[in-house]
């Protein structure tokens, strides 16, 4: 189907690519259908575009690329709501907030998105009882001179 | 908002499935016990609002900022590839 989007123009999306968030997202409870847009495989930032609202899109990442120790323990109830039977079918993404300073971009590790790749049901879950917050820095700003920049750039590990 | 006064040990039934009991009152803190089916999500209000706020903020990230972010973050991935 053809989906109008503000950022990418009209996109051709396979029905099988549409993710259904039955309860929407927090603050966007009426936006139930989304799909992933991967403009550039070299860039870890991907887009979660609303199929219902052309203006609505979120930057998302695979949290494990930035936080290898991220422990996204999905509750039984959350798994049930997306009919998740096989944990290997679960894809976890986190939403990124990008302020004007790109070095200050943060990941919401408290409320990740859980996608069941077997049926494309998805849900934003809340990891209660953990130390995670809605704002985890993705990267550290390099320090020192330009020559040192490459070595001193590190990833923050949650 | 419906405001009721309860003593410790007393409870309130909400709908068919939810019961809230005042377990203990100590100083200015109230301990609440909530009984509800697993499908009903229970969150401290401020947690719910924080997540909502963060989603709204994330949705408002500007294209220019995201471009810059993509440029900053891509070299990191290339460096980590074997």
């Amino acid at each position: 189907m053809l989906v109008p989007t503000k950022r990418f123009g009209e996109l051709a999306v396979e029905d099988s690519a549409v993710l259904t968030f039955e309860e929407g997202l927090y603050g966007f409870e009426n936006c139930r259908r989304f799909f992933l847009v991967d403009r550039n495989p070299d860039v870890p930032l991907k887009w979660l575009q609303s199929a219902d609202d052309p203006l609505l899109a979120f930057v998302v990442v695979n949290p494990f690329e930035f936080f290898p120790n991220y422990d996204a323990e999905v509750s039984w109830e959350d798994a049930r709501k997306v009919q998740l039977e096989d944990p290997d079918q679960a894809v976890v993404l986190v939403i990124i907030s990008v302020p004007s300073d790109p070095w200050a971009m943060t990941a919401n590790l408290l409320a990740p998105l859980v996608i069941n790749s077997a049926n494309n049901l998805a849900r934003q879950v809340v990891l209660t009882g953990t130390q995670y917050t809605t704002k985890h820095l993705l990267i550290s700003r390099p320090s020192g001179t330009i020559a040192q920049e490459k070595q001193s750039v590190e990833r923050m590990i949650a | 908002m419906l405001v009721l006064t309860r003593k410790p040990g007393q409870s309130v039934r909400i709908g068919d499935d939810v019961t809230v009991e005042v377990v203990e009152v100590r100083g200015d803190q109230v301990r609440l016990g909530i009984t509800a089916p697993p499908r009903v999500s229970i969150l401290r209000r401020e947690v719910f609002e924080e997540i909502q706020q963060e989603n709204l903020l994330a949705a408002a990230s500007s294209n220019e900022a995201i471009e810059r972010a993509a440029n900053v973050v891509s070299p990191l991935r290339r460096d980590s590839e074997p």
Side-chain angles (χ1 to χ4, degrees):
Chain A
M1 61 182 177
L2 289 173
V3 180
T5 75
K6 178 166 185 257
R7 286 178 160 98
F8 314 110
E10 203 172 53
L11 291 177
V13 180
E14 297 286 336
D15 287 347
S16 59
V18 176
L19 307 173
T20 302
F21 286 76
E22 277 172 353
E23 294 178 35
L25 296 176
Y26 288 93
F28 299 92
E29 283 79 7
N30 293 324
C31 296
R32 307 223 166 90
R33 299 181 317 151
F34 288 85
F35 55 95
L36 286 168
V37 179
D38 189 354
R39 298 303 269 183
N40 187 345
D42 284 338
V43 179
L45 307 181
K46 313 294 176 193
W47 289 95
L48 185 72
Q49 167 73 50
S50 167
D52 303 315
D53 180 353
L55 295 171
L56 181 63
F58 295 95
V59 176
V60 293
V61 298
N62 170 354
F64 306 102
E65 288 190 28
F66 292 89
F67 309 99
N69 298 321
Y70 184 42
D71 183 11
E73 211 179 290
V74 177
S75 73
W76 279 111
E77 186 55 28
D78 285 328
R80 192 192 68 79
K81 285 187 170 166
V82 295
Q83 296 163 33
L84 187 71
E85 278 156 28
D86 179 0
D88 290 338
Q89 305 278 18
V91 173
V92 179
L93 296 174
V94 294
I95 294 176
I96 304 298
S97 299
V98 186
S100 49
D101 176 6
W103 294 97
M105 65 179 149
T106 55
N108 182 346
L109 297 188
L110 176 61
L113 308 178
V114 175
I115 297 163
N116 184 346
S117 56
N119 57 21
N120 284 346
L121 290 179
R123 189 171 169 72
Q124 184 169 31
V125 307
V126 183
L127 303 180
T128 49
T130 65
Q131 298 295 321
Y132 297 127
T133 71
T134 54
K135 292 184 194 288
H136 289 261
L137 281 173
L138 257 69
I139 51 183
S140 297
R141 193 182 297 268
S143 55
T145 64
I146 293 171
Q148 290 174 352
E149 231 167 67
K150 244 185 169 201
Q151 283 115 2
S152 63
V153 170
E154 290 168 349
R155 296 210 180 145
M156 299 274 293
I157 296 180
Chain B
M1 179 161 71
L2 177 65
V3 180
L4 303 170
T5 302
R6 304 270 67 194
K7 295 186 166 125
Q10 293 184 318
S11 52
V12 174
R13 177 150 160 175
I14 300 168
D16 292 330
D17 306 312
V18 178
T19 302
V20 178
E21 179 181 324
V22 178
V23 168
E24 184 188 357
V25 173
R26 199 188 294 184
D28 64 353
Q29 291 198 330
V30 180
R31 281 177 69 89
L32 299 172
I34 303 164
T35 308
R39 63 181 155 76
V40 175
S41 101
I42 301 170
L43 284 180
R44 287 173 175 76
R45 172 86 178 260
E46 61 271 20
V47 171
F48 165 79
E49 280 179 352
E50 196 188 321
I51 295 166
Q52 194 177 45
Q53 274 306 109
E54 195 61 35
N55 279 355
L56 289 166
L57 196 68
S61 304
S62 82
N63 281 337
E64 299 74 37
I66 294 163
E67 275 286 324
R68 288 197 290 271
N71 291 332
V72 154
V73 104
S74 304
L76 299 175
R77 182 192 247 186
R78 281 203 289 280
D79 283 352
S80 74
E81 246 134 59

